[in-house]
Amino acid sequence: MTAVALANLELDLDVFSGPFDLLLTLVLREEVDLLELQLAEVVLAYLDHLEQRGELDLETATEFIVLVAALLELKSRLMLSSEEQELLDIEPEQAAEELLARMLDARRFRAAAAHLGELLDAEHGVRFRIAPPPPNLRRAIVHAADGSHDPQVLGEAIGRMLLMPPAISVRHISTLRITVAERLSHLRELLRRGSFSFDEAVRGADRMTVAVTLFALLELYKRGEAEWEQQESFGEIAIHGRAHEAPAEVLAG
Amino acid sequence: MSEQPELVRTVEALLFLSSDPLSPGELADATEAGEGAVVAALAVLAEEYAPGLRGIRLRELGGGWTLASDPDTEDAARRLFSRPRASTLSPAQAETLAIVAYLQPISRPEITRIRGVSADSASATLLDRGLIEEAGHSQFGAVLYRTTPQFLKLFGLRSLDELPDIARWDPTPEEQAELRERLLRAGEARAS
Amino acid sequence: MSEQPELVRTVEALLFLSSDPLSPGELADATEAGEGAVVAALAVLAEEYAPGLRGIRLRELGGGWTLASDPDTEDAARRLFSRPRASTLSPAQAETLAIVAYLQPISRPEITRIRGVSADSASATLLDRGLIEEAGHSQFGAVLYRTTPQFLKLFGLRSLDELPDIARWDPTPEEQAELRERLLRAGEARAS
């Protein structure tokens, strides 16, 4: 599983230093723990690398995005505890199979693309004649075409377009027991006491509550009731009230 | 047949590719050979493509040389060109044409809404082929389309009343709403 | 050169006139001859237009037969016609084309999922160049794509069957098994 085009991307991370393709190999061999690897750092290093080179190689960029997306997906699944995985119906085997399939697909079609490129190159210099039919034949074309189309195709086309797409099934999404309104009033309560961190706001909460709380926080930000800052990726999120106005009391009701 | 010298082969290829007659001067420039050598090559080809030998002839026309099909083959050529072509309309073109045929006059934005994807290239082709034409503007300034008399001829229809009844292909015939409204609804559901 | 039988001459003329490859069936209809006789005539012409003999070649491409220039004459053709024959494909276009060629009919969201990045601009270019075309809609309403006869023609393929088995580019079963096992062990270590 080497990524030839990315071999030049040198990384210097907390848990690893060396070329990107080596990192990939080590992750797959479990010699580097995917959970300890900060993928944001890898992306930043790649952006630096791009800036230094001063050009965007689309092929390499595509490859990089596919690989990082696959790693990100695998990592996010690794981060779930096993009972929560049951909830989402994702097995580790499934995650591994999916990553493998994704990587094999990307590799397969890149090779197939190269093959098509070779085929096209082999045809270099082959030209075909593009000429209108001689004048004495042109009339024949238009004349004989009368009635040559079947009106049924129009009816079929309309039938195709009348078809409503099937409704998207939402059965697999578990019912929300936590409401945004609940979490909004919780956050407003905390804000009244001053600044706090996101971790404090969700201490001891389950994953769904964490997600809904984050959503409620976005809502507060949108309404101008709160601001937040994060010094570094994965760092603490500090939340402050807006000093210049105090609409919280009004809107809380 | 025996192998021809390179210049003869190159001149033959150029005459084959060009839809217009080529002068010895043009051929000499392209082949980077002398005009005398090109004239000699043309003489070799003139013998090869002499009338009656093959299906293609070499002809001198207005100071240039051109390959043309032998007149004896004209009947077959006419049958070839007049055959109803198998894949005349792409699915995108058929859909766009069907929308115009059943809902005319109709604006391009509406066609796009029904199809869920842009119909620009399909409607350009249909305009080009004389199957649809512009029919003024909607109250919002969008160009309206309708089908042409040529459309009726090509589809063997005496009038638009003869368009096939779509009930046969209707997936939900119990729906009561107007055709236009139903198509717009389905298109928007697909696009979302 | 000696005089050719009438059917051979007529087939040669039709191949010369048609810009698309012609199948033996189409040639038989136009010439009003049997398909067997047409195939025999094509064999005579294939010998006449064998590689290396002349500036034109007879090729079997995209399900039919067509005349094409010999690549040796390309330099002269480029000097004569300012337009280059066909530009190459960008990596994104080649990848999108490969996915469509192997998985057709396939929708754009599926192509995007496989590539990991949007295929919108690449597929628009391929549509524009006539290498892929729309092929109806998926059950979810997404436009499906397939390759065109033009694709086969430009890539020198008689049919899609000539594309090598995609499995040819897979790692060996041993490599794959080892990779799978590593990934599994990593997953299980997390889950326990």
Side-chain angles (χ1 to χ4, degrees), chain B:
Chain B
M1 88 151 270
S2 59
E3 194 180 319
Q4 292 288 358
E6 197 187 327
L7 182 61
V8 175
R9 288 165 51 198
T10 307
V11 169
E12 185 183 30
L14 296 181
L15 291 171
F16 165 73
L17 291 173
S18 174
S19 53
D20 297 318
L22 296 172
S23 71
E26 287 171 305
L27 287 166
D29 286 346
T31 55
E32 297 187 329
E35 211 169 303
V38 165
V39 169
L42 284 167
V44 173
L45 289 171
E47 229 167 274
E48 287 246 347
Y49 287 99
L53 291 187
R54 35 198 324 150
I56 311 173
R57 287 188 186 187
L58 182 61
R59 297 176 59 194
E60 193 178 359
L61 238 150
W65 295 79
T66 188
L67 290 174
S69 60
D70 189 290
D72 290 352
T73 65
E74 199 177 305
D75 287 345
R78 187 156 304 164
R79 281 190 292 268
L80 178 73
F81 284 118
S82 65
R83 86 207 126 116
R85 276 180 288 163
S87 62
T88 17
L89 293 175
S90 74
Q93 288 158 9
E95 282 177 21
T96 306
L97 185 58
I99 294 169
V100 177
Y102 282 94
L103 303 181
Q104 60 190 306
I106 186 168
S107 70
R108 192 153 64 183
E110 271 183 300
I111 301 174
T112 302
R113 271 169 67 200
I114 290 173
R115 291 204 53 234
V117 288
S118 159
D120 290 5
S121 123
S123 43
T125 310
L126 295 171
L127 279 166
D128 229 42
R129 289 170 64 171
L131 293 169
I132 62 172
E133 63 189 3
E134 294 187 6
H137 290 87
S138 75
Q139 52 174 326
F140 307 110
V143 178
L144 294 171
Y145 294 117
R146 66 172 170 230
T147 54
T148 60
Q150 165 89 340
F151 159 78
L152 291 176
K153 271 173 78 183
L154 289 180
F155 280 79
L157 303 167
R158 272 183 304 239
S159 77
L160 288 172
D161 298 337
E162 287 193 348
L163 280 173
D165 183 353
I166 58 140
R168 207 181 118 193
W169 297 279
D170 193 342
T172 48
E174 67 282 0
E175 283 259 6
Q176 288 301 309
E178 220 190 317
L179 182 62
R180 179 184 300 255
E181 198 190 307
R182 290 183 56 202
L183 284 169
L184 281 167
R185 220 180 322 134
E188 273 154 17
R190 268 196 301 276
S192 63

Side-chain angles (χ1 to χ4, degrees), chain A residues 106-168:
Chain A
R107 181 171 151 148
R108 243 175 231 139
F109 287 108
R110 206 160 34 246
H115 178 72
L116 289 183
E118 283 164 26
L119 286 181
L120 191 61
D121 286 347
E123 292 297 304
H124 176 77
V126 177
R127 290 178 188 243
F128 302 94
R129 182 180 158 86
I130 303 164
N136 55 328
L137 291 173
R138 270 174 227 167
R139 225 187 21 226
I141 300 165
V142 180
H143 177 70
D146 283 6
S148 62
H149 288 264
D150 185 355
Q152 312 284 330
V153 302
L154 301 175
E156 276 169 43
I158 291 285
R160 219 157 50 219
M161 288 183 290
L162 279 174
L163 201 62
M164 290 295 278
I168 296 161

Side-chain angles (χ1 to χ4, degrees), chain A residues 39-52:
Chain A
L39 290 169
E41 279 188 52
V42 178
V43 174
L44 286 177
Y46 178 65
L47 291 175
D48 280 347
H49 172 74
L50 277 186
E51 202 160 302
Q52 276 164 27

